[in-house]
């Protein structure tokens, strides 16, 4: 039996994730997943690829706010509202993530200043509102209305625990699932079988596997230290997990309809 064992969201792109027992599922991703993002002065997204220290920002959802801290300093925090009134929304600005230009708005000067002080560079914290629809790559879309958030390209990512176990059996030092930033982790099944799935359900929701996930230098970052930790596991993956010029691990997903998922939900391959 295949069973959902972990659910993760990453409210701010490239910051640490939040483990959940259940989550609402929307067409653009899990609720609150990658709806916020840090951009530079030109409005271009920043990520762990160039700023591995972003992994040291901790996130938590508490009392209607997204609470963010840095390292272990629990006294210096910011509380970002989860809901926004149109009266306080600033003028939309264009942000750039990969090849996409996306409408967003700066959450607030005080939040941007907090991040800028810690990162020692000018950045802005932006939010993707509901009326900002970023389309997924049309080459892999199921419908013309498929959208995503500030994710790299698709609204969901799933990885089997068996896949990580197999990878770790090939490494001198095991790595955690956190390196790969999935939304869903499941127990049972064969290693890497999720990369072949086309149509399956989690609980009563139907998902489509659209593309194995290409991996980059981010998987070599130690999420506890916020530093590049060498060439693993990317080097080992590159020896046996290749599609064309991409090193792959995990499967990108699109959902058929909105709903909810919870830990222990059964996965059924159709």
């Amino acid at each position: 039996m295949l069973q959902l064992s972990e659910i993760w969201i990453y409210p701010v792109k490239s910051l640490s994730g939040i483990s959940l027992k259940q989550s609402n599922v929307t067409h653009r991703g899990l609720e609150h997943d990658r709806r916020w993002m840090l951009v530079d002065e030109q409005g271009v997204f920043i990520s762990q690829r160039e700023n591995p220290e972003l992994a040291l920002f901790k996130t938590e959802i508490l009392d209607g706010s997204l609470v963010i801290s840095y390292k272990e300093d629990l006294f210096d925090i910011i509380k970002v509202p989860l809901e926004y009134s149109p009266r306080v929304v600033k003028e939309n600005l264009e942000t750039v993530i990969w090849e996409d230009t996306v409408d967003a708005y700066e959450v607030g000067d005080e939040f941007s200043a907090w991040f800028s002080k810690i990162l020692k560079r000018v950045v802005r914290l932006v939010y993707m509102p509901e009326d900002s629809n970023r389309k997924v790559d049309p080459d892999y879309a199921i419908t013309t209305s498929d959208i995503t958030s500030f994710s790299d390209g698709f609204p969901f990512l799933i990885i089997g625990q068996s896949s990580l176990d197999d990878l770790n059996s090939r490494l001198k030092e095991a790595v955690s699932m956190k390196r790969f930033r999935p939304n869903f982790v499941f127990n049972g099944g064969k290693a890497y079988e999720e990369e072949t799935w086309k149509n399956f359900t989690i609980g009563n929701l139907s998902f489509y596997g659209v593309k194995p996930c290409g991996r980059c230098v981010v998987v070599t970052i130690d999420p506890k230290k916020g530093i590049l930790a060498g060439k693993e596991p990317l080097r080992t993956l590159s020896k046996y997990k290749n599609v064309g010029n991409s090193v792959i691990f995990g499967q990108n997903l699109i959902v058929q309809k909105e709903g909810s998922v919870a830990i222990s939900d059964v996965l059924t391959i159709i």
Side-chain angles (χ1 to χ4, degrees):
M1 182 172 67
L2 308 177
Q3 200 165 28
L4 195 62
S5 57
E6 298 177 33
I7 301 171
W8 289 88
I9 61 172
Y10 311 87
V12 184
K13 183 176 181 62
S14 271
L15 272 56
S16 66
I18 301 173
S19 177
L20 302 175
K21 293 183 179 180
Q22 70 84 35
S23 179
N24 294 326
V25 176
T26 77
H27 287 294
R28 77 173 79 229
L30 295 179
E31 185 177 28
H32 307 309
D33 186 42
R34 282 167 280 214
R35 295 296 294 273
W36 293 264
M37 181 172 71
L38 291 170
V39 300
D40 64 17
E41 292 181 273
Q42 286 72 47
V44 178
F45 83 107
I46 67 172
S47 75
Q48 287 187 30
R49 293 169 181 82
E50 306 82 21
N51 301 268
E53 68 273 20
L54 293 178
L56 301 179
F57 287 94
K58 308 302 180 185
T59 57
E60 179 184 11
I61 292 177
L62 186 64
D63 298 329
S65 295
L66 173 62
V67 181
I68 307 175
S69 59
Y70 182 66
K71 293 185 178 179
E72 302 301 325
D73 189 353
L74 300 181
F75 296 99
D76 184 15
I77 65 173
I78 55 173
K79 294 183 178 180
V80 180
L82 293 178
E83 304 294 338
Y84 296 93
S85 166
R87 295 189 302 275
V88 301
V89 172
K90 293 190 172 185
E91 182 179 355
N92 277 14
L93 57 90
E94 290 187 340
T95 59
V96 177
I97 173 170
W98 298 118
E99 292 81 17
D100 296 330
T101 299
V102 183
D103 286 336
Y105 60 80
E106 187 173 5
V107 176
D109 295 338
E110 67 275 26
F111 304 122
S112 296
W114 185 82
F115 279 104
S116 297
K117 179 180 178 181
I118 293 172
L119 295 174
K120 296 181 175 58
R121 59 180 294 192
V122 177
V123 298
R124 290 183 288 181
L125 178 66
V126 300
Y127 177 76
M128 176 183 285
E130 285 297 320
D131 60 0
S132 181
N133 292 320
R134 180 186 175 215
K135 298 292 185 70
V136 304
D137 187 334
D139 290 341
Y140 300 98
I142 302 299
T143 71
T144 57
S145 60
D146 289 329
I147 60 174
T148 189
S149 59
F150 287 131
S151 66
D152 274 351
F154 297 92
F156 308 94
L157 173 65
I158 190 168
I159 300 175
Q161 183 62 47
S162 295
S163 302
L164 180 66
D165 292 344
D166 182 82
L167 170 61
N168 279 331
S169 72
R170 304 166 187 261
L171 298 174
K172 292 182 179 180
E173 294 186 14
V175 297
S176 75
M177 189 66 81
K178 290 183 179 180
R179 294 277 187 113
F180 302 97
R181 301 173 69 81
N183 295 113
F184 304 127
V185 181
F186 67 94
N187 288 328
K190 298 179 181 178
Y192 315 113
E193 71 167 87
E194 64 273 14
E195 294 165 7
T196 68
W197 294 350
K198 298 301 180 185
N199 192 353
F200 69 99
T201 60
I202 301 178
N204 63 359
L205 292 186
S206 294
F207 290 84
Y208 300 102
V210 293
K211 177 181 175 295
C213 183
R215 311 313 308 214
C216 67
V217 69
V218 168
V219 302
T220 68
I221 295 171
D222 184 334
K224 292 183 178 180
K225 298 179 180 179
I227 59 172
L228 290 169
K231 297 181 179 180
E232 296 292 6
L234 197 60
R235 178 169 57 186
T236 293
L237 282 171
S238 69
K239 296 177 180 178
Y240 74 106
K241 293 293 294 176
N242 295 284
V243 172
N245 293 324
S246 295
V247 177
I248 63 170
F249 191 76
Q251 176 81 310
N252 291 303
L253 310 176
I254 291 172
V255 72
Q256 183 181 54
K257 65 176 183 178
E258 299 186 336
S260 64
V261 292
I263 295 297
S264 297
D265 278 352
V266 173
L267 285 72
T268 303
I269 312 306
I270 298 174

